[in-house]
Coordinates of all heavy atoms in Angstrom, one line a residue:
A77 N 109.0 102.7 111.2 CA 109.1 101.4 111.8 C 108.1 100.4 111.0 O 108.3 99.2 110.9 CB 108.6 101.5 113.3
R78 N 107.0 101.0 110.4 CA 106.0 100.2 109.8 C 106.4 100.2 108.3 O 105.6 99.7 107.4 CB 104.6 100.6 109.9 CG 104.3 101.9 109.5 CD 102.8 102.3 109.6 NE 102.6 103.8 109.4 CZ 102.5 104.8 110.4 NH1 102.6 104.5 111.6 NH2 102.2 106.1 110.0
G79 N 107.5 100.6 107.8 CA 108.0 100.4 106.5 C 107.7 101.7 105.5 O 107.8 101.6 104.4
G80 N 107.4 102.7 106.2 CA 107.1 104.0 105.4 C 108.4 104.6 104.9 O 109.5 104.3 105.4
Y81 N 108.3 105.4 104.0 CA 109.5 106.0 103.4 C 109.8 107.4 103.9 O 108.9 108.1 104.3 CB 109.3 106.2 101.9 CG 109.5 104.8 101.0 CD1 108.3 103.9 100.9 CD2 110.6 104.5 100.5 CE1 108.4 102.9 100.2 CE2 110.7 103.3 99.8 CZ 109.7 102.5 99.6 OH 109.7 101.3 98.9
V82 N 111.0 107.6 104.2 CA 111.4 108.9 104.9 C 112.6 109.5 104.0 O 113.5 108.8 103.7 CB 111.9 108.8 106.3 CG1 112.1 110.1 106.9 CG2 110.7 108.0 107.0
L83 N 112.6 110.8 103.7 CA 113.7 111.5 103.0 C 114.1 112.6 103.8 O 113.2 113.6 104.1 CB 113.2 112.0 101.6 CG 114.2 112.9 100.9 CD1 115.4 112.2 100.6 CD2 113.5 113.5 99.6
G84 N 115.3 112.7 104.4 CA 115.9 113.8 105.2 C 116.9 114.5 104.4 O 117.9 113.8 103.9
I85 N 116.8 115.8 104.1 CA 117.8 116.5 103.3 C 118.5 117.6 104.2 O 117.8 118.4 104.8 CB 117.1 117.1 102.2 CG1 116.5 116.1 101.1 CG2 118.1 118.0 101.5 CD1 115.6 116.7 100.1
C86 N 119.8 117.6 104.3 CA 120.6 118.5 105.0 C 120.3 118.4 106.5 O 120.5 117.4 107.1 CB 120.5 119.9 104.4 SG 121.9 121.0 104.7
N87 N 119.7 119.6 107.0 CA 119.1 119.4 108.4 C 118.3 118.2 108.7 O 118.3 117.6 109.7 CB 118.6 120.7 108.7 CG 118.3 120.9 110.2 OD1 117.2 121.0 110.6 ND2 119.1 120.7 111.1
G88 N 117.5 117.8 107.7 CA 116.7 116.6 107.8 C 117.5 115.4 108.0 O 117.1 114.5 108.6
F89 N 118.7 115.3 107.3 CA 119.7 114.2 107.5 C 120.1 114.2 108.9 O 120.1 113.2 109.6 CB 120.7 114.4 106.5 CG 121.7 113.2 106.5 CD1 121.4 112.0 107.1 CD2 123.0 113.2 105.7 CE1 122.4 111.0 107.0 CE2 123.8 112.3 105.6 CZ 123.7 111.1 106.3
Q90 N 120.5 115.3 109.4 CA 120.9 115.5 110.8 C 119.8 115.0 111.8 O 120.1 114.3 112.9 CB 121.2 116.9 111.2 CG 122.5 117.4 110.3 CD 122.7 118.9 110.2 OE1 121.7 119.6 110.5 NE2 123.7 119.3 109.8
V91 N 118.5 115.4 111.5 CA 117.5 115.0 112.4 C 117.3 113.4 112.3 O 117.1 112.8 113.4 CB 116.1 115.6 111.9 CG1 114.8 115.0 112.6 CG2 116.3 117.1 112.0
L92 N 117.4 112.8 111.1 CA 117.2 111.4 111.1 C 118.3 110.6 111.8 O 118.1 109.6 112.4 CB 117.2 110.9 109.6 CG 116.0 111.4 108.8 CD1 116.1 111.0 107.4 CD2 114.8 111.2 109.4
T93 N 119.5 111.2 111.8 CA 120.6 110.5 112.8 C 120.3 110.7 114.2 O 120.4 109.7 115.0 CB 122.0 111.0 112.4 OG1 122.0 112.3 112.6 CG2 122.4 110.8 110.9
E94 N 119.8 111.9 114.5 CA 119.3 112.1 115.9 C 118.1 111.1 116.4 O 118.1 110.8 117.5 CB 119.0 113.6 116.2 CG 120.2 114.5 116.1 CD 121.2 114.3 117.4 OE1 120.8 113.7 118.3 OE2 122.3 114.7 117.1
L95 N 117.3 110.8 115.4 CA 116.1 110.1 115.7 C 116.5 108.6 115.7 O 115.8 107.7 116.2 CB 115.1 110.2 114.6 CG 114.2 111.4 114.7 CD1 113.5 111.6 113.4 CD2 113.2 111.2 115.8
G96 N 117.8 108.3 115.3 CA 118.2 106.8 115.3 C 117.7 106.1 114.1 O 117.8 104.9 114.0
L97 N 117.2 106.8 113.0 CA 116.7 106.1 111.9 C 117.8 105.8 110.8 O 117.6 105.1 109.9 CB 115.4 106.9 111.2 CG 114.4 107.2 112.0 CD1 113.3 108.0 111.2 CD2 113.7 105.9 112.5
L98 N 118.9 106.4 111.1 CA 120.0 106.2 110.3 C 121.4 106.2 111.2 O 121.3 107.0 112.2 CB 120.2 107.3 109.2 CG 119.2 107.4 108.0 CD1 119.4 108.6 107.1 CD2 119.3 106.1 107.1
P99 N 122.3 105.5 110.8 CA 123.6 105.5 111.6 C 124.5 106.6 111.3 O 124.4 107.3 110.4 CB 124.1 104.1 111.1 CG 123.9 104.1 109.7 CD 122.4 104.7 109.6
G100 N 125.6 106.8 112.2 CA 126.5 107.9 112.0 C 126.0 109.2 112.7 O 124.9 109.4 113.4
A101 N 126.8 110.2 112.4 CA 126.6 111.6 112.9 C 127.2 112.5 112.0 O 128.1 112.2 111.2 CB 127.2 111.7 114.3
L102 N 126.6 113.7 112.0 CA 127.1 114.9 111.2 C 127.9 115.9 112.1 O 127.3 116.4 113.0 CB 126.0 115.5 110.5 CG 125.3 114.9 109.2 CD1 126.3 114.6 108.2 CD2 124.5 113.7 109.6
M103 N 129.1 116.1 111.7 CA 130.0 116.9 112.5 C 130.3 118.2 111.6 O 129.9 118.4 110.6 CB 131.3 116.1 112.7 CG 131.1 114.8 113.2 SD 130.6 114.6 114.9 CE 132.1 115.2 115.8
R104 N 131.0 119.1 112.3 CA 131.4 120.3 111.7 C 132.3 120.2 110.5 O 133.0 119.2 110.5 CB 132.3 121.3 112.7 CG 131.4 121.9 113.7 CD 130.5 123.0 113.3 NE 129.6 123.5 114.3 CZ 129.9 124.5 115.2 NH1 131.1 124.9 115.2 NH2 129.0 124.9 116.1
N105 N 132.1 120.8 109.4 CA 133.0 120.6 108.2 C 134.5 120.7 108.5 O 134.7 121.5 109.4 CB 132.6 121.5 107.1 CG 131.1 121.4 106.6 OD1 130.5 120.3 106.8 ND2 130.6 122.5 106.0
T106 N 135.2 120.0 107.8 CA 136.7 120.3 108.0 C 137.0 121.7 107.6 O 136.5 122.2 106.6 CB 137.5 119.3 106.9 OG1 137.1 118.0 107.4 CG2 138.9 119.6 107.0
G107 N 137.7 122.4 108.5 CA 138.0 123.7 108.2 C 137.0 124.7 108.9 O 137.1 126.0 108.8
L108 N 136.0 124.1 109.4 CA 134.9 124.9 110.1 C 134.4 126.0 109.2 O 134.0 127.1 109.8 CB 135.6 125.4 111.4 CG 136.2 124.5 112.3 CD1 136.7 125.2 113.7 CD2 135.3 123.5 112.7
T109 N 134.1 125.7 108.1 CA 133.6 126.6 107.2 C 132.2 126.3 106.6 O 131.9 125.1 106.5 CB 134.4 127.0 105.8 OG1 134.7 125.7 105.2 CG2 135.7 127.5 106.4
F110 N 131.4 127.2 106.3 CA 130.1 127.0 105.8 C 130.2 126.9 104.2 O 130.8 127.7 103.6 CB 128.9 128.2 106.1 CG 127.6 127.9 105.6 CD1 126.7 127.2 106.3 CD2 127.3 128.4 104.3 CE1 125.4 127.0 105.7 CE2 125.9 128.2 103.8 CZ 125.0 127.5 104.6
L111 N 129.7 125.9 103.8 CA 129.8 125.5 102.4 C 128.6 125.8 101.6 O 127.5 125.2 102.0 CB 130.3 124.1 102.0 CG 131.6 123.6 102.6 CD1 131.8 122.2 102.4 CD2 132.7 124.5 102.1
C112 N 128.5 126.6 100.5 CA 127.2 126.8 99.8 C 127.9 126.9 98.3 O 128.3 128.1 97.8 CB 126.6 128.1 100.2 SG 125.1 128.5 99.4
K113 N 127.5 125.8 97.6 CA 128.0 125.7 96.2 C 127.6 124.6 95.6 O 127.0 123.6 96.1 CB 129.6 125.9 96.1 CG 130.2 124.6 96.9 CD 131.8 124.5 96.9 CE 132.4 123.4 97.4 NZ 133.8 123.4 97.3
P114 N 127.7 124.5 94.2 CA 127.3 123.2 93.5 C 128.4 122.1 94.0 O 129.5 122.4 94.2 CB 127.5 123.6 92.2 CG 127.5 125.0 92.0 CD 128.0 125.6 93.2
S115 N 127.9 120.9 94.1 CA 128.8 119.8 94.4 C 128.6 118.7 93.3 O 127.5 118.5 92.9 CB 128.6 119.3 95.8 OG 127.3 118.7 96.0
V116 N 129.7 118.0 93.1 CA 129.6 116.8 92.1 C 129.5 115.8 93.0 O 130.2 115.3 93.9 CB 130.8 116.8 91.2 CG1 130.7 115.5 90.4 CG2 130.9 118.0 90.4
L117 N 128.3 114.8 92.7 CA 128.2 113.6 93.4 C 128.3 112.4 92.7 O 128.0 112.4 91.3 CB 126.7 113.6 94.1 CG 126.3 114.7 94.9 CD1 124.8 114.5 95.4 CD2 127.4 114.9 96.1
T118 N 128.8 111.2 93.1 CA 128.7 110.0 92.4 C 127.6 109.2 93.0 O 127.6 109.1 94.2 CB 130.1 109.1 92.5 OG1 131.1 110.0 92.0 CG2 130.0 107.9 91.8
V119 N 126.8 108.7 92.1 CA 125.7 107.7 92.6 C 126.3 106.5 93.0 O 126.8 105.7 92.3 CB 124.5 107.6 91.5 CG1 123.5 106.6 92.0 CG2 124.1 108.9 91.1
G120 N 126.0 106.1 94.4 CA 126.7 104.8 94.9 C 125.8 103.7 94.6 O 126.4 102.6 94.6
T121 N 124.6 103.7 94.6 CA 123.7 102.6 94.3 C 122.4 103.2 93.6 O 121.9 104.2 93.9 CB 123.4 101.9 95.6 OG1 122.5 100.8 95.3 CG2 122.6 102.9 96.6
A122 N 122.0 102.3 92.7 CA 120.6 102.5 92.0 C 119.5 101.7 92.6 O 118.4 101.8 92.2 CB 120.8 102.4 90.5
D123 N 119.9 100.9 93.6 CA 119.0 99.9 94.1 C 118.2 100.5 95.4 O 118.4 100.0 96.6 CB 119.9 98.6 94.6 CG 118.9 97.6 95.1 OD1 117.7 97.5 94.8 OD2 119.4 96.7 95.9
S124 N 117.4 101.5 95.1 CA 116.4 102.1 96.0 C 115.5 102.9 95.3 O 115.6 103.3 94.2 CB 117.1 103.0 97.1 OG 117.5 104.1 96.6
A125 N 114.3 103.1 96.1 CA 113.2 103.9 95.4 C 113.8 105.4 95.2 O 113.4 106.0 94.2 CB 112.0 103.9 96.3

Side-chain angles (χ1 to χ4, degrees):
R78 61 177 174 263
Y81 287 82
V82 183
L83 171 62
I85 299 171
C86 199
N87 186 237
F89 187 7
Q90 296 160 346
V91 172
L92 296 185
T93 61
E94 291 288 342
L95 281 166
L97 298 182
L98 291 171
L102 283 306
M103 312 287 287
R104 292 283 175 89
N105 296 339
T106 300
L108 305 181
T109 55
F110 182 86
L111 299 174
C112 185
K113 62 180 183 179
S115 66
V116 177
L117 306 181
T118 300
V119 178
T121 179
D123 184 20
S124 78

